[in-house]
Amino acid sequence: MLLALLVGCPNPQDTPAPPTLDEFLHQSWSLYADTDLDGLGTLTTTEAPTLDPAEFPMKGSYTDLTDEEFAQVAVEWDADPAAATGFYLVDTLDCSLDELQDALTNPHQEEVYPTNYTAYQRDFTSDMDAFQAGDADTVTWETHYTVNIPLYGAYSTFVNGGAFRIEVDGQTGFATRTWAPNPAESDSEGLALDQDYQIEVYYPGETGMVHVYGMWRQFQISDETDQDDPSLGGLILNGMEGYFDDTSTYCASLR
């Protein structure tokens, strides 16, 4: 099935991010690393009017993580950030603010994304109840999860994650970040997820919560096909769209 999906997938390199969006994703990563909630809210307030919902979904590729941005997280092996490719997606989620908060903080993410994981465990490393109650604007967690890719095998990985509550043009939004300190463990020689860094920003739109999603990923399903192959890159974008769809479906289930 995956082989069939690889045929005809859009090439992310055909749609590079607009310069302001590219810069926004990079700056968001750094502001998150600096725990600058006010700066991230101000940056999002400036960027939001440049993103036209009539053009959604916006998706494609964007520029590499820089050495300085890479140094803002504690990667534990000799990784080369230039080997990870940037992918982005912007669209509106069918979620209210409260529904989205539930989706982001649910420790059982396999309930939110039922087809994504074969195993999932999230452990909070700060007070999640205080975040949900609005008494804290930050929350952090650690996650172990496993993903199975039919015909290619399974990989298991550990990531650090967290969420911020930010103010965007006088309204509440969120930012989340995850990153892997080490390569995933794979049960297949050709399957590898070596680097994974993700930054996501959410703010209220006219019909739901706008979701700006960027990732840098070094990934391969075989020795011949990695994330820079147009078909696999396109499949990564399709997976990101499925993630958006599942989030909206979960939000609707809460009503």
Side-chain angles (χ1 to χ4, degrees):
M1 181 177 295
L2 184 60
L3 288 172
L5 290 172
L6 285 172
V7 177
C9 286
N11 182 357
Q13 304 300 328
D14 289 342
T15 50
T20 57
L21 176 58
D22 192 312
E23 184 177 4
F24 172 76
L25 290 166
H26 283 271
Q27 290 184 328
S28 295
W29 173 267
S30 294
L31 290 168
Y32 195 109
D34 291 337
T35 323
D36 187 349
L37 282 67
D38 290 340
L40 188 47
T42 299
L43 177 69
T44 306
T45 298
T46 300
E47 178 65 16
T50 73
L51 300 173
D52 183 359
E55 298 178 358
F56 294 172
M58 300 171 60
K59 58 183 179 178
S61 62
Y62 70 111
T63 54
D64 291 347
L65 196 70
T66 67
D67 290 339
E68 292 77 14
E69 291 161 346
F70 171 73
Q72 291 179 298
V73 291
V75 174
E76 297 173 359
W77 65 289
D78 188 22
D80 176 9
T85 301
F87 301 94
Y88 76 91
L89 177 62
V90 184
D91 206 351
T92 300
L93 301 175
D94 181 18
C95 295
S96 69
L97 180 70
D98 289 343
E99 291 165 351
L100 178 59
Q101 177 174 289
D102 188 297
L104 296 178
T105 59
N106 186 339
H108 304 289
Q109 289 286 290
E110 68 276 15
E111 297 176 354
V112 187
Y113 307 105
T115 63
N116 282 33
Y117 307 107
T118 56
Y120 188 95
Q121 179 179 336
R122 174 186 287 187
D123 297 306
F124 287 95
T125 52
S126 68
D127 192 338
M128 187 266 286
D129 291 337
F131 182 81
Q132 290 182 322
D135 297 328
D137 287 328
T138 67
V139 64
T140 56
W141 57 77
E142 298 175 343
T143 300
H144 293 84
Y145 70 84
T146 301
V147 171
N148 181 65
I149 301 177
L151 302 180
Y152 291 94
Y155 65 83
S156 298
T157 191
F158 168 85
V159 296
N160 294 284
F164 287 170
R165 184 179 291 106
I166 59 175
E167 182 177 315
V168 182
D169 196 21
Q171 301 184 79
T172 299
F174 297 108
T176 65
R177 183 187 67 167
T178 62
W179 57 276
N182 288 293
E185 296 181 357
S186 172
D187 65 4
S188 172
E189 184 175 344
L191 177 64
L193 175 60
D194 288 334
Q195 296 187 79
D196 191 25
Y197 317 96
Q198 302 186 33
I199 183 71
E200 303 174 63
V201 179
Y202 308 80
Y203 61 87
E206 293 184 1
T207 59
M209 297 295 292
V210 176
H211 182 186
V212 183
Y213 184 13
M215 71 163 63
W216 293 275
R217 179 163 284 186
Q218 183 182 1
F219 178 63
Q220 66 178 55
I221 56 173
S222 70
D223 291 333
E224 294 76 34
T225 305
D226 66 14
Q227 79 282 343
D228 290 325
D229 180 279
S231 296
L232 185 54
L235 192 66
I236 290 172
L237 282 182
N238 286 346
M240 293 168 74
E241 288 189 287
Y243 170 64
F244 279 46
D245 291 341
D246 285 347
T247 306
S248 293
T249 298
Y250 178 78
C251 288
S253 74
L254 301 175
R255 296 169 196 161

